[in-house]
PDB file of all heavy atoms in Angstrom:
ATOM      1  N   VAL L 169     201.378 107.463  62.171  1.00 97.00           N
ATOM      2  CA  VAL L 169     202.166 106.240  62.524  1.00 97.00           C
ATOM      3  C   VAL L 169     201.755 105.548  63.752  1.00 97.00           C
ATOM      4  O   VAL L 169     200.997 106.159  64.499  1.00 97.00           O
ATOM      5  CB  VAL L 169     203.618 106.578  62.413  1.00 97.00           C
ATOM      6  CG1 VAL L 169     204.134 107.173  61.138  1.00 97.00           C
ATOM      7  CG2 VAL L 169     204.106 107.448  63.700  1.00 97.00           C
ATOM      8  N   GLY L 170     202.251 104.336  63.781  1.00 97.00           N
ATOM      9  CA  GLY L 170     201.876 103.600  65.082  1.00 97.00           C
ATOM     10  C   GLY L 170     202.557 104.040  66.345  1.00 97.00           C
ATOM     11  O   GLY L 170     201.959 103.932  67.458  1.00 97.00           O
ATOM     12  N   ASP L 171     203.860 104.333  66.259  1.00 97.00           N
ATOM     13  CA  ASP L 171     204.573 104.781  67.412  1.00 97.00           C
ATOM     14  C   ASP L 171     205.806 105.612  66.994  1.00 97.00           C
ATOM     15  O   ASP L 171     206.399 105.408  65.877  1.00 97.00           O
ATOM     16  CB  ASP L 171     204.967 103.554  68.269  1.00 97.00           C
ATOM     17  CG  ASP L 171     206.114 102.774  67.676  1.00 97.00           C
ATOM     18  OD1 ASP L 171     205.714 101.912  66.726  1.00 97.00           O
ATOM     19  OD2 ASP L 171     207.364 102.927  67.902  1.00 97.00           O
ATOM     20  N   VAL L 172     206.202 106.561  67.797  1.00 98.00           N
ATOM     21  CA  VAL L 172     207.270 107.451  67.519  1.00 98.00           C
ATOM     22  C   VAL L 172     208.718 106.837  67.566  1.00 98.00           C
ATOM     23  O   VAL L 172     209.495 107.151  66.679  1.00 98.00           O
ATOM     24  CB  VAL L 172     207.262 108.704  68.435  1.00 98.00           C
ATOM     25  CG1 VAL L 172     208.473 109.557  68.299  1.00 98.00           C
ATOM     26  CG2 VAL L 172     206.017 109.614  68.054  1.00 98.00           C
ATOM     27  N   PRO L 173     209.058 105.988  68.524  1.00 97.00           N
ATOM     28  CA  PRO L 173     210.364 105.396  68.520  1.00 97.00           C
ATOM     29  C   PRO L 173     210.670 104.646  67.257  1.00 97.00           C
ATOM     30  O   PRO L 173     211.746 104.684  66.748  1.00 97.00           O
ATOM     31  CB  PRO L 173     210.381 104.459  69.732  1.00 97.00           C
ATOM     32  CG  PRO L 173     209.393 105.040  70.684  1.00 97.00           C
ATOM     33  CD  PRO L 173     208.306 105.601  69.752  1.00 97.00           C
ATOM     34  N   THR L 174     209.683 103.908  66.701  1.00 97.00           N
ATOM     35  CA  THR L 174     209.898 103.162  65.364  1.00 97.00           C
ATOM     36  C   THR L 174     210.048 104.176  64.327  1.00 97.00           C
ATOM     37  O   THR L 174     210.932 103.957  63.388  1.00 97.00           O
ATOM     38  CB  THR L 174     208.769 102.235  65.194  1.00 97.00           C
ATOM     39  OG1 THR L 174     208.682 101.303  66.195  1.00 97.00           O
ATOM     40  CG2 THR L 174     208.983 101.480  63.840  1.00 97.00           C
ATOM     41  N   ALA L 175     209.326 105.244  64.341  1.00 98.00           N
ATOM     42  CA  ALA L 175     209.399 106.237  63.251  1.00 98.00           C
ATOM     43  C   ALA L 175     210.798 106.936  63.307  1.00 98.00           C
ATOM     44  O   ALA L 175     211.441 107.195  62.301  1.00 98.00           O
ATOM     45  CB  ALA L 175     208.357 107.385  63.530  1.00 98.00           C
ATOM     46  N   ARG L 176     211.346 107.184  64.538  1.00 97.00           N
ATOM     47  CA  ARG L 176     212.656 107.818  64.725  1.00 97.00           C
ATOM     48  C   ARG L 176     213.790 106.865  64.149  1.00 97.00           C
ATOM     49  O   ARG L 176     214.629 107.231  63.466  1.00 97.00           O
ATOM     50  CB  ARG L 176     212.923 108.120  66.141  1.00 97.00           C
ATOM     51  CG  ARG L 176     214.303 108.749  66.441  1.00 97.00           C
ATOM     52  CD  ARG L 176     214.641 108.838  67.883  1.00 97.00           C
ATOM     53  NE  ARG L 176     213.929 110.040  68.416  1.00 97.00           N
ATOM     54  CZ  ARG L 176     214.322 111.220  68.387  1.00 97.00           C
ATOM     55  NH1 ARG L 176     215.422 111.515  67.807  1.00 97.00           N
ATOM     56  NH2 ARG L 176     213.634 112.218  68.932  1.00 97.00           N
ATOM     57  N   ALA L 177     213.607 105.552  64.514  1.00 97.00           N
ATOM     58  CA  ALA L 177     214.587 104.582  64.085  1.00 97.00           C
ATOM     59  C   ALA L 177     214.619 104.549  62.581  1.00 97.00           C
ATOM     60  O   ALA L 177     215.719 104.385  61.945  1.00 97.00           O
ATOM     61  CB  ALA L 177     214.212 103.159  64.666  1.00 97.00           C
ATOM     62  N   PHE L 178     213.452 104.681  61.866  1.00 97.00           N
ATOM     63  CA  PHE L 178     213.453 104.590  60.439  1.00 97.00           C
ATOM     64  C   PHE L 178     213.868 105.899  59.729  1.00 97.00           C
ATOM     65  O   PHE L 178     214.735 105.941  58.836  1.00 97.00           O
ATOM     66  CB  PHE L 178     212.036 104.087  59.971  1.00 97.00           C
ATOM     67  CG  PHE L 178     211.970 103.889  58.512  1.00 97.00           C
ATOM     68  CD1 PHE L 178     212.341 102.760  57.957  1.00 97.00           C
ATOM     69  CD2 PHE L 178     211.502 104.854  57.618  1.00 97.00           C
ATOM     70  CE1 PHE L 178     212.367 102.543  56.556  1.00 97.00           C
ATOM     71  CE2 PHE L 178     211.453 104.691  56.255  1.00 97.00           C
ATOM     72  CZ  PHE L 178     211.889 103.488  55.758  1.00 97.00           C
ATOM     73  N   TYR L 179     213.254 106.919  60.150  1.00 98.00           N
ATOM     74  CA  TYR L 179     213.416 108.255  59.339  1.00 98.00           C
ATOM     75  C   TYR L 179     214.621 108.916  59.754  1.00 98.00           C
ATOM     76  O   TYR L 179     215.250 109.614  58.991  1.00 98.00           O
ATOM     77  CB  TYR L 179     212.167 109.083  59.545  1.00 98.00           C
ATOM     78  CG  TYR L 179     211.008 108.648  58.705  1.00 98.00           C
ATOM     79  CD1 TYR L 179     209.965 107.859  59.203  1.00 98.00           C
ATOM     80  CD2 TYR L 179     210.919 108.979  57.306  1.00 98.00           C
ATOM     81  CE1 TYR L 179     208.939 107.346  58.432  1.00 98.00           C
ATOM     82  CE2 TYR L 179     209.847 108.371  56.600  1.00 98.00           C
ATOM     83  CZ  TYR L 179     208.886 107.675  57.164  1.00 98.00           C
ATOM     84  OH  TYR L 179     207.807 107.274  56.385  1.00 98.00           O
ATOM     85  N   VAL L 180     215.109 108.799  61.046  1.00 97.00           N
ATOM     86  CA  VAL L 180     216.399 109.458  61.453  1.00 97.00           C
ATOM     87  C   VAL L 180     217.535 108.599  61.272  1.00 97.00           C
ATOM     88  O   VAL L 180     218.528 108.863  60.639  1.00 97.00           O
ATOM     89  CB  VAL L 180     216.212 110.108  62.876  1.00 97.00           C
ATOM     90  CG1 VAL L 180     217.390 110.704  63.365  1.00 97.00           C
ATOM     91  CG2 VAL L 180     215.049 111.056  62.925  1.00 97.00           C
ATOM     92  N   ASP L 181     217.404 107.507  62.018  1.00 96.00           N
ATOM     93  CA  ASP L 181     218.739 106.608  62.148  1.00 96.00           C
ATOM     94  C   ASP L 181     218.968 105.813  60.794  1.00 96.00           C
ATOM     95  O   ASP L 181     220.136 105.697  60.462  1.00 96.00           O
ATOM     96  CB  ASP L 181     218.447 105.471  63.188  1.00 96.00           C
ATOM     97  CG  ASP L 181     218.240 106.152  64.588  1.00 96.00           C
ATOM     98  OD1 ASP L 181     218.638 107.283  64.805  1.00 96.00           O
ATOM     99  OD2 ASP L 181     217.630 105.550  65.445  1.00 96.00           O
ATOM    100  N   ARG L 182     217.991 105.471  60.011  1.00 96.00           N
ATOM    101  CA  ARG L 182     218.178 104.838  58.729  1.00 96.00           C
ATOM    102  C   ARG L 182     218.136 105.693  57.563  1.00 96.00           C
ATOM    103  O   ARG L 182     219.036 105.785  56.729  1.00 96.00           O
ATOM    104  CB  ARG L 182     217.184 103.680  58.723  1.00 96.00           C
ATOM    105  CG  ARG L 182     217.499 102.535  59.625  1.00 96.00           C
ATOM    106  CD  ARG L 182     216.342 101.540  59.852  1.00 96.00           C
ATOM    107  NE  ARG L 182     216.711 100.399  60.757  1.00 96.00           N
ATOM    108  CZ  ARG L 182     216.894 100.493  62.124  1.00 96.00           C
ATOM    109  NH1 ARG L 182     216.613 101.716  62.659  1.00 96.00           N
ATOM    110  NH2 ARG L 182     217.153  99.542  62.765  1.00 96.00           N
ATOM    111  N   LEU L 183     216.998 106.361  57.355  1.00 96.00           N
ATOM    112  CA  LEU L 183     216.845 107.275  56.180  1.00 96.00           C
ATOM    113  C   LEU L 183     217.810 108.529  56.231  1.00 96.00           C
ATOM    114  O   LEU L 183     218.308 108.916  55.179  1.00 96.00           O
ATOM    115  CB  LEU L 183     215.411 107.699  56.073  1.00 96.00           C
ATOM    116  CG  LEU L 183     214.977 108.442  54.748  1.00 96.00           C
ATOM    117  CD1 LEU L 183     215.457 107.679  53.494  1.00 96.00           C
ATOM    118  CD2 LEU L 183     213.491 108.662  54.796  1.00 96.00           C
ATOM    119  N   GLY L 184     218.004 109.030  57.417  1.00 95.00           N
ATOM    120  CA  GLY L 184     219.098 110.069  57.510  1.00 95.00           C
ATOM    121  C   GLY L 184     218.596 111.396  57.825  1.00 95.00           C
ATOM    122  O   GLY L 184     219.419 112.413  57.740  1.00 95.00           O
ATOM    123  N   PHE L 185     217.306 111.636  58.012  1.00 96.00           N
ATOM    124  CA  PHE L 185     216.860 112.974  58.400  1.00 96.00           C
ATOM    125  C   PHE L 185     217.302 113.382  59.852  1.00 96.00           C
ATOM    126  O   PHE L 185     217.735 112.444  60.567  1.00 96.00           O
ATOM    127  CB  PHE L 185     215.246 112.967  58.470  1.00 96.00           C
ATOM    128  CG  PHE L 185     214.611 113.142  57.126  1.00 96.00           C
ATOM    129  CD1 PHE L 185     213.897 112.140  56.587  1.00 96.00           C
ATOM    130  CD2 PHE L 185     214.769 114.319  56.446  1.00 96.00           C
ATOM    131  CE1 PHE L 185     213.220 112.309  55.360  1.00 96.00           C
ATOM    132  CE2 PHE L 185     214.064 114.505  55.244  1.00 96.00           C
ATOM    133  CZ  PHE L 185     213.327 113.442  54.611  1.00 96.00           C
ATOM    134  N   GLU L 186     217.327 114.640  59.988  1.00 97.00           N
ATOM    135  CA  GLU L 186     217.721 115.180  61.442  1.00 97.00           C
ATOM    136  C   GLU L 186     216.442 115.472  62.157  1.00 97.00           C
ATOM    137  O   GLU L 186     215.547 116.063  61.530  1.00 97.00           O
ATOM    138  CB  GLU L 186     218.603 116.435  61.298  1.00 97.00           C
ATOM    139  CG  GLU L 186     219.894 116.192  60.615  1.00 97.00           C
ATOM    140  CD  GLU L 186     220.687 117.489  60.507  1.00 97.00           C
ATOM    141  OE1 GLU L 186     220.142 118.582  60.827  1.00 97.00           O
ATOM    142  OE2 GLU L 186     221.843 117.383  60.092  1.00 97.00           O
ATOM    143  N   ALA L 187     216.342 115.076  63.382  1.00 97.00           N
ATOM    144  CA  ALA L 187     215.195 115.386  64.224  1.00 97.00           C
ATOM    145  C   ALA L 187     215.202 116.921  64.568  1.00 97.00           C
ATOM    146  O   ALA L 187     216.259 117.404  65.061  1.00 97.00           O
ATOM    147  CB  ALA L 187     215.239 114.654  65.467  1.00 97.00           C
ATOM    148  N   THR L 188     214.119 117.602  64.335  1.00 97.00           N
ATOM    149  CA  THR L 188     214.126 119.092  64.589  1.00 97.00           C
ATOM    150  C   THR L 188     213.194 119.411  65.717  1.00 97.00           C
ATOM    151  O   THR L 188     213.307 120.500  66.273  1.00 97.00           O
ATOM    152  CB  THR L 188     213.747 119.891  63.428  1.00 97.00           C
ATOM    153  OG1 THR L 188     212.612 119.326  62.908  1.00 97.00           O
ATOM    154  CG2 THR L 188     214.829 119.782  62.356  1.00 97.00           C
ATOM    155  N   ALA L 189     212.206 118.601  66.002  1.00 96.00           N
ATOM    156  CA  ALA L 189     211.260 118.801  67.128  1.00 96.00           C
ATOM    157  C   ALA L 189     210.702 117.525  67.634  1.00 96.00           C
ATOM    158  O   ALA L 189     210.250 116.711  66.836  1.00 96.00           O
ATOM    159  CB  ALA L 189     210.118 119.750  66.697  1.00 96.00           C
ATOM    160  N   ASP L 190     210.838 117.268  68.931  1.00 95.00           N
ATOM    161  CA  ASP L 190     210.461 115.984  69.516  1.00 95.00           C
ATOM    162  C   ASP L 190     209.415 116.224  70.558  1.00 95.00           C
ATOM    163  O   ASP L 190     209.627 116.911  71.576  1.00 95.00           O
ATOM    164  CB  ASP L 190     211.749 115.342  70.155  1.00 95.00           C
ATOM    165  CG  ASP L 190     211.588 113.914  70.587  1.00 95.00           C
ATOM    166  OD1 ASP L 190     210.351 113.551  70.821  1.00 95.00           O
ATOM    167  OD2 ASP L 190     212.490 113.127  70.673  1.00 95.00           O
ATOM    168  N   PHE L 191     208.239 115.662  70.371  1.00 94.00           N
ATOM    169  CA  PHE L 191     207.107 115.773  71.260  1.00 94.00           C
ATOM    170  C   PHE L 191     206.796 114.469  71.939  1.00 94.00           C
ATOM    171  O   PHE L 191     205.694 114.066  72.104  1.00 94.00           O
ATOM    172  CB  PHE L 191     205.860 116.269  70.493  1.00 94.00           C
ATOM    173  CG  PHE L 191     206.077 117.716  69.860  1.00 94.00           C
ATOM    174  CD1 PHE L 191     206.505 117.752  68.578  1.00 94.00           C
ATOM    175  CD2 PHE L 191     205.900 118.802  70.654  1.00 94.00           C
ATOM    176  CE1 PHE L 191     206.742 118.976  68.035  1.00 94.00           C
ATOM    177  CE2 PHE L 191     206.055 120.064  70.080  1.00 94.00           C
ATOM    178  CZ  PHE L 191     206.458 120.230  68.789  1.00 94.00           C
ATOM    179  N   GLY L 192     207.978 113.822  72.388  1.00 93.00           N
ATOM    180  CA  GLY L 192     207.846 112.621  73.218  1.00 93.00           C
ATOM    181  C   GLY L 192     207.137 111.473  72.476  1.00 93.00           C
ATOM    182  O   GLY L 192     207.455 111.283  71.254  1.00 93.00           O
ATOM    183  N   PRO L 193     206.151 110.762  72.982  1.00 94.00           N
ATOM    184  CA  PRO L 193     205.555 109.688  72.294  1.00 94.00           C
ATOM    185  C   PRO L 193     204.520 109.996  71.292  1.00 94.00           C
ATOM    186  O   PRO L 193     203.854 109.162  70.626  1.00 94.00           O
ATOM    187  CB  PRO L 193     204.998 108.881  73.540  1.00 94.00           C
ATOM    188  CG  PRO L 193     204.573 109.916  74.495  1.00 94.00           C
ATOM    189  CD  PRO L 193     205.709 110.912  74.418  1.00 94.00           C
ATOM    190  N   SER L 194     204.218 111.345  71.183  1.00 96.00           N
ATOM    191  CA  SER L 194     203.099 111.744  70.307  1.00 96.00           C
ATOM    192  C   SER L 194     203.485 112.178  68.874  1.00 96.00           C
ATOM    193  O   SER L 194     202.752 112.033  67.971  1.00 96.00           O
ATOM    194  CB  SER L 194     202.255 112.822  70.934  1.00 96.00           C
ATOM    195  OG  SER L 194     203.006 113.976  71.147  1.00 96.00           O
ATOM    196  N   ALA L 195     204.677 112.774  68.823  1.00 97.00           N
ATOM    197  CA  ALA L 195     205.012 113.346  67.352  1.00 97.00           C
ATOM    198  C   ALA L 195     206.516 113.499  67.384  1.00 97.00           C
ATOM    199  O   ALA L 195     207.177 113.825  68.311  1.00 97.00           O
ATOM    200  CB  ALA L 195     204.296 114.573  67.141  1.00 97.00           C
ATOM    201  N   LEU L 196     206.999 113.532  66.115  1.00 98.00           N
ATOM    202  CA  LEU L 196     208.390 113.744  65.812  1.00 98.00           C
ATOM    203  C   LEU L 196     208.462 114.534  64.465  1.00 98.00           C
ATOM    204  O   LEU L 196     207.761 114.162  63.492  1.00 98.00           O
ATOM    205  CB  LEU L 196     209.219 112.473  65.661  1.00 98.00           C
ATOM    206  CG  LEU L 196     210.666 112.535  65.151  1.00 98.00           C
ATOM    207  CD1 LEU L 196     211.498 113.178  66.235  1.00 98.00           C
ATOM    208  CD2 LEU L 196     211.236 111.186  64.894  1.00 98.00           C
TER     209      LEU L 196
END
Side-chain angles (χ1 to χ4, degrees):
V169 300
D171 70 278
V172 168
T174 302
R176 175 187 289 274
F178 184 82
Y179 284 99
V180 177
D181 300 340
R182 289 164 176 76
L183 188 50
F185 280 113
E186 296 177 354
T188 55
D190 191 336
F191 297 94
S194 65
L196 175 70

